[in-house]
């Protein structure tokens, strides 16, 4: 079963038009360590010498970074004191980042509000939102900004040289010469403001970061994570919330906000990164001449003091809100937090990460298991934060009872004594190290550029020691040392040093309180009413004026002249050719197979796909459940804990899932698969097939206690995802009004599946035999030979296909020939407008519709139109004016148009915005340049370089939905050549879709109930 999605304490400026897993990836890629697929450029033209000066920069250090196929250079800008690292290699996906050490001294979230604000106009680019202009019209492969606990990073990436230069310049000008000094509107819009448009209105607070953090603080897990860190550092900067506590954000004044910029956004406090195949001397010259030469070195007080260790452990209780309809039994969260050493000790920090996995992360991890077995919590996990000066480890038990806190602590202490005395199984340790190393070698960060991930890793030491940017990039060295240490008692000693009797630790318990958020809202409303009553007529008028002016500022278009300052690309800068599909159809014996041959850095990716289209909704939910249970339950040969070790030693992972894709011609039809996914080095193929064989055919579903543990854990994980990514469930549920595949997606990932799990948990008490027999029947029904397709992504096709064919024989013989099971049809597609309520304070407002159901055909023009709506109209109305964190418009699977807001304080206003899209399109008047800009922006999301795994998967999916390369190329051509008329021709389609009103909203109980007439049904989201 998957580990609950870990939460990182970063804030990113922008939630983009999201793909399904975007948020997960965003959280995940920070956790990965990376490795070896790049090489140095063929010929190194540079011959840089130590201590020589290059355009104002002195080369201080250079280092071979063989583990990542690169060379690293550390520079210092002599006049301004700026630090700069260049990572040289042949990667065309170039990265630039400028970062500052931003250490907060309060909870107002000033680093975060600045992170948002500096990208709202600068001296050279005096428009309201250069960032969004780049989103609309650049070929970036990454564009965002992030606030961490102690730093703020501004990274950009692109494969196109001209584009890259543009992005770098806009970012540099934004951070050093922002317009925030001239336009206080930015602060009110991005940060916070008293809101009132008429003097008789109720006084409210609004602002983008304010709402973003209200959303973040609606998530009990995140709240606990924050307090867990803050409590360990009462005397230094980590005691404060860099993102901003909604209670404290309104304490931030415009002057203090400017002061923070003035003090810390100086080259002497900056850390820059250039990465990839680029001309370094040209870049150094640009940085020097355009920016750094204007500054003199300053001594800046941004230093982070070490927190003095405690002499005794701390204890704290905090309250979290649950809604009236939720049960509060088992809603507490218990946590044990430890400070573990110092960031600059990189081997130790990585060892702690491995240790966290061994104790709490892997299947059957001993400490986790002890807590689960004692029924301390339904979901138990560890979280190690090695990214701050004083790394810390958290042990968290969710869905727990507060009264068990003493037991929680004593089980942890006792178990850790036992483990450290007895010693950790060496095989388990090696397997864990192997797991981290495989992921490093694979260096698959999904859509995140490698250079960005390296850049973030570098900050883990560089921020605390000017001379040590490269430590984390020397992966060979770190893993080499760790492997050597397995045989001694190094890991056991770490347990004793940091986790046993470490007084610098704290217990934090989050206790549920019914309607706490409503209580807080009421208190705030009261406070605001009192405040309003204390104001003079004049002061009230000032607030009204501020809001009216802000609205006017937001509604005033940038002047042509100002807009002309933004760099532009031409349509010629866009790649003409679509990415080739790499599908070769084969037969392995009687079994259909698909081969994707591509350079995979010597990793083999294998998928087995069993067709489950015959399955009805309920049996599909069972299939999904089976997929989650496999590898987490015992097999004939191995306990789940042993199995996990075997998997980690022999592969980069084996997992199971379900996949549902819509038919592109007919919204009633779809593709449905049960999938086996594995990745490995080629010499392990045989062993991996043995393991898959063992798991598929000998997994034991009879252990009711284990089933209950796993399913309860999964239920908690889904609850977390609902809160963090409510737009996904809302969009899927909205599409269920007309789409069969959406129903199946809901049955495997959404509300249907959640309710299904809740039922199963109950039945495991009353009638476990029924569940066990259903699970067994499901897997038997699945494993049918004629329903199987194998997909192999590899660089060595000839050898490996033979190997796979041979390995398949054993499995093949065990598969049934045909599936005789007949499922009763339980699919009912009916229109229902639904509201799902929780104690959260923000909404996800979704509306979707199918292009072909409205008599139109999918086309490149629709994609461009949807990009325009998302990046312009919805962005301006839902985010900039409405205060939501995000607004998105996407075309899902070519055929479904989906709109959703993200962490939105509004509901009816957002629906009105959707209704206004028609008028906006009708009136849309774009110059040729503007249209080109949007076309480029539409491509930027599509043309992000794919990892080898993604190339294989992309080709496989095209095969499954019968999409040919010609179609993809045609679609690309349509997008490239689209005209304004073609785009506007779809106004009616958008109107039809909004009129069809497939509304689904997940969000705050009160707001949804206030608008109950909009819905056919209102139900609590969580049970
Ligand atoms: Zn933010």
């Amino acid at each position: 079963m998957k580990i609950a999605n870990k939460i990182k304490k970063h804030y990113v400026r922008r939630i983009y038009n999201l793909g399904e897993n975007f948020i997960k990836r965003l959280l995940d890629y920070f956790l990965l360590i990376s490795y070896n697929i790049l090489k140095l450029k063929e010929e190194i033209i540079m011959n840089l010498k130590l201590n020589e000066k290059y355009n104002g920069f002195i080369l201080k250090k250079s280092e071979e970074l063989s583990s990542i196929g690169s060379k690293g250079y550390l520079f210092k800008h002599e006049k301004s004191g700026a630090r700069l690292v260049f990572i040289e290699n042949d990667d065309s996906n170039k990265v630039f980042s400028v970062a500052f050490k931003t250490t907060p001294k309060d909870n107002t979230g000033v680093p975060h509000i600045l992170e948002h604000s500096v990208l709202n106009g600068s001296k050279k680019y005096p428009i309201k939102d250069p960032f969004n202009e780049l989103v609309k019209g650049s070929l970036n492969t990454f564009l965002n900004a992030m606030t961490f606990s102690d730093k703020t990073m501004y990274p950009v990436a692109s494969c196109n040289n001209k584009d890259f230069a543009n992005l770098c310049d806009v970012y540099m000008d934004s951070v050093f010469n922002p317009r925030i000094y001239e336009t206080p509107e930015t602060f009110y819009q991005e940060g916070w403001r008293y809101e009132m448009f008429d003097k008789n209105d109720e006084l409210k607070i609004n602002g983008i970061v304010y709402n973003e953090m209200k959303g973040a603080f609606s998530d009990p897990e995140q709240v606990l994570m924050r307090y867990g860190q803050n409590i360990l550092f009462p005397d230094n900067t980590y005691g404060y919330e860099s993102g901003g506590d909604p209670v404290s954000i309104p304490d931030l004044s415009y002057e203090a906000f400017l002061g923070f910029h003035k003090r810390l956004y100086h080259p002497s406090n900056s850390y820059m990164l250039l990465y990839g195949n680029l001309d370094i001397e040209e870049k150094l010259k640009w940085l020097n001449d355009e920016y750094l030469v204007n500054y003199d070195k300053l001594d800046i007080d941004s230093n982070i003091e070490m927190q003095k260790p405690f002499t005794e452990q701390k204890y704290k209780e905090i309250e979290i809100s649950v809604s009236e309809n939720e049960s509060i039994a088992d809603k507490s969260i218990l946590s044990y937090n430890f400070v573990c050493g110092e960031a600059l000790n990189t081997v130790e920090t990585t060892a702690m990460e491995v240790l966290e996995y061994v104790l709490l992360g892997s299947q059957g991890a001993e400490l986790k298991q002890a807590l689960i077995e004692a029924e301390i919590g339904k979901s138990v996990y560890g979280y190690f934060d090695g990214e701050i000066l004083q790394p810390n480890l958290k042990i968290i038990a969710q869905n727990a009872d507060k009264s068990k806190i003493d037991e929680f602590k004593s089980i942890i202490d006792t178990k850790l004594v036992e483990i450290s005395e007895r010693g950790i199984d060496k095989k388990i340790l090696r397997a864990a190290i192997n797991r981290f190393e495989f992921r490093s070698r694979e260096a698959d960060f999904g859509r995140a550029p490698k250079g960005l991930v390296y850049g973030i890793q570098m900050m883990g030491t560089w921020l605390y020691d000017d001379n040590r940017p490269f430590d984390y990039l020397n992966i060979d060295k770190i893993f080499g040392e760790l492997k050597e240490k397995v045989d001694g008692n190094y890991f056991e000693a770490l347990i004793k040093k940091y986790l046993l009797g470490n007084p610098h630790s704290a217990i934090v318990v989050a206790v549920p309180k019914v309607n706490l958020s409503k209580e807080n809202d009421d208190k705030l409303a009261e406070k605001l009413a009192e405040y309003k009553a204390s104001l003079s007529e004049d002061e009230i008028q000032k607030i009204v004026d501020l809001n009216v002016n802000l609205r006017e500022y937001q509604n005033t278009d940038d002047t042509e002249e100002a807009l002309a300052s933004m760099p532009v690309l031409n349509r010629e800068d866009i790649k003409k050719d679509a990415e080739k599909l790499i599908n070769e159809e084969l037969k392995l014996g009687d079994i259909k197979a698909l081969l994707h041959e591509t350079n995979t850095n010597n990793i083999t990716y294998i998928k087995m796909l069993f067709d489950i289209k015959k399955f009805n909704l309920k049996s599909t939910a069972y299939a999904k459940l089976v997929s989650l249970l496999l590898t987490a339950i015992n097999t004939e040969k191995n306990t789940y804990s042993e199995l996990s070790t075997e998997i980690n030693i022999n592969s980069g992972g084996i997992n199971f899932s379900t996949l549902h894709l819509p038919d592109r011609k007919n919204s009633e039809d779809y593709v449905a698969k049960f999938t086996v996914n594995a990745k490995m080095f080629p010499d392990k193929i045989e062993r991996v097939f043995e393991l898959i064989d063992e798991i598929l055919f000998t997994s034991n579903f009879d252990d009711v206690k284990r089933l209950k543990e796993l399913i309860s854990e999964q239920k908690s994980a889904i609850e977390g995802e609902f809160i963090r990514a409510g737009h996904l469930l809302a969009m899927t549920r909205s599409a269920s009004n007309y789409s069969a595949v959406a129903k199946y997606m809901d049955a495997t990932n959404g509300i249907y599946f959640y309710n299904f799990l809740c039922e199963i948990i109950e039945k495991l008490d009353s009638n476990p035999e029924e569940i066990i027999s259903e699970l067994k029947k499901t897997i038997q029904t699945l494993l049918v030979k004629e329903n199987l397709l194998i997909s192999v992504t590899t660089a060595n096709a000839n050898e490996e296909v033979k190997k796979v064919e041979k390995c398949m024989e054993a499995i093949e013989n065990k598969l049934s020939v045909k599936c005789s099971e007949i499922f009763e049809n339980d699919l009912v597609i009916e229109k229902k407008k639904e509201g799902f309520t929780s104690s959260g304070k923000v909404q996800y407002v979704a509306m979707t519709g199918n292009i072909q159901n409205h008599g139109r055909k999918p086309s490149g023009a629709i994609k461009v139109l949807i990009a325009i709506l998302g990046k312009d109209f919805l962005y301006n109305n839902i985010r900039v004016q409405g205060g939501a964190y995000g607004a998105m418009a996407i075309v899902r699977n070519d055929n479904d148009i989906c709109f959703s807001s993200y962490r939105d304080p509004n509901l009816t206003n957002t629906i009105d915005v959707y209704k206004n899209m028609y008028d906006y399109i009708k009136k849309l008047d774009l110059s040729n340049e503007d249209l080109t800009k949007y076309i480029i922006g539409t491509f930027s999301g599509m043309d992000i370089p794919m990892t080898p795994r993604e190339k294989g998967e992309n080709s496989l999916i095209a095969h499954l939905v019968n999409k040919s390369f010609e179609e993809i190329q045609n679609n690309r051509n349509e997008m490239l050549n689209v005209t304004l008329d073609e785009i506007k021709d779809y106004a009616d389609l958008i109107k039809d879709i909004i009129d069809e009103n497939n509304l689904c909203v997940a969000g705050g109980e009160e707001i949804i109930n206030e608008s109950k007439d909009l819905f056919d049904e209102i139900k609590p989201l969580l049970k």
Side-chain angles (χ1 to χ4, degrees), residues 416-542:
L416 287 174
V417 170
E418 187 195 314
I419 295 170
S420 61
E421 297 291 321
R422 184 204 60 209
I424 304 169
D425 186 330
K426 304 294 178 203
K427 196 172 173 191
I428 292 181
L429 266 180
R430 282 203 188 88
I433 294 172
N434 201 62
R435 175 178 187 271
F436 282 90
E437 211 185 347
F438 188 98
R439 294 174 88 178
S440 307
R441 275 181 200 285
E442 188 184 21
D444 181 345
F445 308 119
R447 309 198 110 197
K450 284 195 178 59
L452 168 72
V453 179
Y454 296 146
I456 293 170
Q457 288 169 350
M458 274 170 39
M459 296 307 289
T461 50
W462 197 18
L463 198 71
Y464 316 117
D465 185 337
D466 279 1
N467 295 313
R468 290 178 54 186
F470 303 126
D471 287 33
Y472 275 114
L473 305 183
N474 282 315
I475 298 150
D476 287 337
K477 188 165 164 267
I478 293 178
F479 282 108
E481 267 186 57
L482 284 184
K483 282 182 194 162
E484 270 171 30
K485 290 182 190 294
V486 169
D487 288 323
N489 63 350
Y490 175 75
F491 288 90
E492 291 78 1
L494 284 178
I495 296 179
K496 288 184 185 156
K497 187 167 166 195
Y498 293 128
L499 308 181
L500 280 171
N502 176 358
H504 201 173
S505 61
I507 300 265
V508 180
V509 187
V511 189
K513 188 167 180 205
V514 172
N515 285 340
L516 173 67
S517 59
K518 184 172 179 312
E519 236 174 70
N520 288 340
D521 285 349
D522 291 348
K523 257 189 241 160
L524 177 65
E526 213 175 286
K527 209 176 124 193
L528 287 170
E530 268 172 36
Y531 176 68
K532 190 183 168 190
S534 78
L535 296 175
S536 67
E537 283 277 314
D538 265 12
E539 286 164 321
I540 288 178
Q541 193 54 45
K542 262 193 189 149

Side-chain angles (χ1 to χ4, degrees), residues 345-361:
N345 194 340
T346 49
V347 172
E348 193 177 275
T349 302
T350 313
M352 285 306 295
E353 200 146 349
V354 171
L355 198 55
E356 184 267 302
Y357 178 75
V358 167
L359 295 173
L360 294 149

Side-chain angles (χ1 to χ4, degrees), residues 595-663:
L595 175 67
H596 322 285
E597 196 170 1
T598 183
N599 180 11
T600 57
N601 199 29
N602 203 31
I603 292 173
T604 306
Y605 298 89
I606 290 174
K607 277 181 189 289
M608 295 180 198
L609 301 106
F610 291 94
D611 200 278
I612 51 168
K613 198 163 158 200
K614 275 175 101 175
F615 281 43
N616 63 11
L617 285 178
K618 190 157 184 198
S619 52
T620 300
Y622 266 108
K624 173 69 184 215
L625 179 56
V626 165
S627 79
L628 296 168
L629 294 172
L630 294 179
T631 72
I633 51 178
N634 296 342
T635 61
E636 258 169 31
K637 269 195 213 146
N638 286 300
T639 64
Y640 51 84
S641 164
E642 289 161 351
L643 188 61
S644 156
T645 303
E646 287 298 319
I647 291 174
N648 284 331
I649 284 185
N650 293 294
S651 74
I654 300 175
N655 65 65
F656 301 81
S657 191
T658 56
L659 172 71
H660 286 84
L661 300 165
D663 187 275

Side-chain angles (χ1 to χ4, degrees), residues 571 576 931 935 939 970-980 982:
R571 289 196 200 189
K576 296 279 164 302
L931 180 58
I935 293 171
F939 275 105
N970 280 342
N971 198 273
R972 197 175 173 90
N973 298 345
E974 280 169 16
M975 282 172 60
L976 267 170
N977 302 315
V978 73
T979 64
L980 184 59
E982 281 169 348

Side-chain angles (χ1 to χ4, degrees), residues 11-13 112 115-116 209 212 885:
Y11 307 101
V12 296
R13 182 169 200 269
H112 185 190
E115 175 240 288
H116 279 242
V209 169
E212 180 189 340
Y885 185 23

